[in-house]
Amino acid sequence: LVTAGAPLIGIGRLRPRERTTDYGGEREAELYRPLSTQAKGKEEQDVAAWYTKFADDCALRQIGVDVYVAPVQRSSLSMSTATTPNGSNLMDRGGGHDSMPNAWIDMATLGLIPKATGGKAIMLDGGVDAAGALTKVVIDKLENELRLSMVTDRKTVASETVTKVRCSTGLRCAEYHGPGVQRSVGELEIAAMHPFTNVLCILKHDSALKNDERVYVQAATLYSSLDGRRMVRVHNLCMLAATGLPELFRLADLDAVFTANVKLHLPRLLKEPLTTVRDAFTELCADALYNYRVSCAKTSPAGQLILPESLKLMPLYTLGLLKSVGMRPNSPDSGRGGGGGPDPRADERAAHLAILEDMTVSASYRLLHPRMYDLEKISTDAHPRAFTPLDDSEIHFAIPLPLPCSAEHLSNTSAFLLDGGSHLLLQVGKDAPPDLLDEVLAQSHADPTKPQELSEGSDLGGKVACMLKEMRHDLPFYAPLQIYISGGNGPEERRLLSLLIEDKTKHEISYVDYLCAVHRRIQQKMA
């Protein structure tokens, strides 16, 4: 499904319900949550029931649905005069002049369909240019997203899948967390399973396990291949049980632990306030470190923060999540235009939360910890292996070492590339020298009023293109590149500053301060 906005007429129409004054307040949560059958209004209840039933019908008929939505941004004049085919004014139907119907697409409700069928919900953010045409960023992302779905995924997609996890005596699979629906106990049905589809299984033991006891887990998926054959893929895993906490902490996989926590606790946003869920992630981090402290490091000084080797980056991952687009809060005055307005908007938050819920273990670090590179200093001297093949590969290359993610390394005389996981930002300094501008943008001077494009013929432009290819590799979505000139305080520049994880921002404290806050929680638990 490819659309330029939310359905405003007919069956399943989504009434614009976004108001600028809702941002930063208690009602903001309603904007990034899907419509519920428990809503107050009869019309909203009916629409929510229709989308729930449509998603269930698609899953029942084994139809995988991908949703691509481009929220078309328009001027305030066109918004105030926009009308429906029957002549009614959309602003009036939205509830006054503080609503924004043309930008509102209700990603949370539209995302119910791909979530039930194993598809993707992609927001093509970028709007239209002065002539009313889609911007190059939107077109580029749409082309590459469709290529991923219709070319790459089509060769490896499995349809009509049924997955079941079995365990040896004493263990059982208690829950599944992921896409699809459960019609039978212990079985998960996904209409379309892609290479990046991942499911969290919660295993519980009904009786005590002995140390070094062998336990077995089998994951079996029944599916239809592209040529229509019913096939079964089976994965068997044998593990040794550990009863001691020191062994557990020594062998803990941080990426797996944190990905599991995200899949378990992000759905709480459907019923609980954002501040409560944010605090819950910090509490999870403090609990893990507290249990390590009291079980494995009892003799350490009370005032010292002790981190297990396997989980030493857990506070960094947690802060990265709290500063992400999906989890950071809007300031109370953002609904009145304070700080440049709401950032993120509700649709953008809903789209990013869907990405976080579906993220694979291998992609967790890339989505939670931004990486920044100084393009002026990129050279093989700084990193001898940069731009050389990885492990004799002909298509993958090493990239330079990143800078610390802090504003103190930014400069108006250089150019910086920030890999934010779901999006890529290239900031060119307003005072950058002409030779650097020519290498990066094929321009002699920086003009912030014109659309910027990466130079294709220069040596540095080729290196940046190589870096972009590696950054986008092995992701289930296409990360677009946005290029801008610094100094304009535009949305791209504000977004880059908000992603600098080591700095204090309007959304969150610095990394050092966050470590101190986690340490205080641990000390309170010990007291």
Side-chain angles (χ1 to χ4, degrees), residues 1-8 14 51 65-73 101-114 120-128 134-135 137-139 141-143 145-146 347-348 350-351:
L1 171 63
V2 182
T3 176
L8 298 177
L14 295 171
Y51 274 96
V65 181
D66 290 341
V67 177
Y68 304 92
V69 190
V72 178
Q73 308 285 346
N102 293 285
W104 172 251
I105 55 179
D106 205 341
M107 279 297 297
T109 302
L110 291 176
L112 293 174
I113 306 172
K120 297 185 293 185
I122 301 297
M123 181 174 172
L124 307 168
D125 201 7
V128 296
L134 292 175
T135 60
V137 173
V138 174
I139 296 175
K141 183 171 175 62
L142 178 59
E143 288 180 350
E145 288 289 355
L146 291 177
D347 283 322
E348 190 178 12

Side-chain angles (χ1 to χ4, degrees), residues 86-159:
N86 63 12
S88 62
N89 191 287
L90 282 176
M91 292 295 288
D92 296 337
R93 293 171 61 187
H97 291 286
D98 59 350
S99 60
M100 299 169 282
N102 293 285
W104 172 251
I105 55 179
D106 205 341
M107 279 297 297
T109 302
L110 291 176
L112 293 174
I113 306 172
K115 183 174 179 63
T117 62
K120 297 185 293 185
I122 301 297
M123 181 174 172
L124 307 168
D125 201 7
V128 296
D129 56 22
L134 292 175
T135 60
K136 186 178 183 300
V137 173
V138 174
I139 296 175
D140 182 52
K141 183 171 175 62
L142 178 59
E143 288 180 350
N144 284 278
E145 288 289 355
L146 291 177
R147 184 177 294 112
L148 279 173
S149 294
M150 302 177 68
V151 179
T152 305
D153 287 356
R154 189 178 182 277
K155 297 178 181 179
T156 53
V157 68
S159 58

Side-chain angles (χ1 to χ4, degrees), residues 111-428:
L112 293 174
I113 306 172
K115 183 174 179 63
T117 62
K120 297 185 293 185
I122 301 297
M123 181 174 172
L124 307 168
D125 201 7
V128 296
D129 56 22
L134 292 175
T135 60
K136 186 178 183 300
V137 173
V138 174
I139 296 175
D140 182 52
K141 183 171 175 62
L142 178 59
E143 288 180 350
N144 284 278
E145 288 289 355
L146 291 177
R147 184 177 294 112
L148 279 173
S149 294
M150 302 177 68
V151 179
T152 305
D153 287 356
R154 189 178 182 277
K155 297 178 181 179
T156 53
V157 68
S159 58
E160 303 175 337
T161 69
V162 180
T163 298
K164 185 167 185 175
V165 176
R166 299 177 178 87
C167 307
S168 55
T169 303
L171 280 178
R172 59 186 174 89
C173 179
E175 301 172 25
Y176 292 105
H177 295 268
V181 295
Q182 294 187 57
R183 303 187 192 279
S184 302
V185 177
E187 294 183 354
L188 179 65
E189 299 181 16
I190 305 177
M193 187 175 283
H194 303 270
F196 298 103
T197 301
N198 62 100
V199 178
L200 170 65
C201 301
I202 302 298
L203 303 181
K204 293 187 177 180
H205 54 89
D206 299 317
S207 58
L209 298 175
K210 298 178 181 179
N211 197 44
D212 290 337
E213 178 182 352
R214 292 182 182 272
V215 295
Y216 301 89
V217 179
Q218 180 188 80
T221 299
L222 174 67
Y223 68 98
S224 295
S225 62
L226 289 176
D227 55 6
R229 292 181 297 166
R230 293 294 282 173
M231 306 178 71
V232 178
R233 173 166 291 189
V234 179
H235 292 273
N236 296 317
L237 182 64
C238 174
M239 299 174 287
L240 294 178
T243 57
L245 283 179
E247 188 74 2
L248 179 66
F249 278 105
R250 186 178 68 84
L251 299 175
D253 185 325
L254 174 60
D255 290 353
V257 169
F258 203 84
T259 303
N261 283 339
V262 168
K263 292 181 184 296
L264 284 173
H265 294 277
L266 273 191
R268 293 172 55 180
L269 287 171
L270 297 178
K271 297 181 179 179
E272 301 179 37
L274 178 64
T275 52
T276 302
V277 180
R278 283 168 51 87
D279 186 72
F281 278 104
T282 298
E283 190 66 16
L284 285 171
C285 178
D287 273 342
L289 300 181
Y290 164 74
N291 281 289
Y292 175 77
R293 178 64 181 263
V294 299
S295 302
C296 309
K298 296 179 181 180
T299 58
S300 301
Q304 186 176 356
L305 177 62
I306 306 298
L307 301 175
E309 183 65 26
S310 61
L311 301 179
K312 64 181 180 182
L313 294 181
M314 196 172 191
L316 182 66
Y317 276 48
T318 306
L319 183 60
L321 176 66
L322 300 182
K323 284 191 174 184
S324 69
V325 175
M327 289 294 291
R328 67 174 178 234
N330 277 305
S331 58
D333 64 339
S334 60
R336 299 184 297 275
D343 180 28
R345 296 277 294 276
D347 283 322
E348 190 178 12
R349 187 190 298 278
H352 196 78
L353 288 174
I355 290 176
L356 290 174
E357 280 195 67
D358 292 339
M359 74 175 177
T360 61
V361 173
S362 60
S364 59
Y365 174 77
R366 299 162 67 182
L367 289 173
L368 297 173
H369 187 272
R371 289 155 303 284
M372 186 169 67
Y373 304 87
D374 186 346
L375 300 186
E376 188 179 30
K377 296 181 180 179
I378 286 180
S379 66
T380 54
D381 295 335
H383 184 197
R385 291 201 60 196
F387 310 108
T388 60
L390 282 174
D391 300 325
D392 299 323
S393 172
E394 297 181 358
I395 58 175
H396 298 300
F397 296 84
I399 59 178
L401 296 174
L403 296 170
C405 222
S406 173
E408 68 180 35
H409 297 281
L410 294 175
S411 167
N412 285 327
T413 60
S414 186
F416 299 87
L417 176 63
L418 183 85
D419 178 10
S422 59
H423 45 268
L424 304 164
L425 298 169
L426 200 165
Q427 174 178 296
V428 179

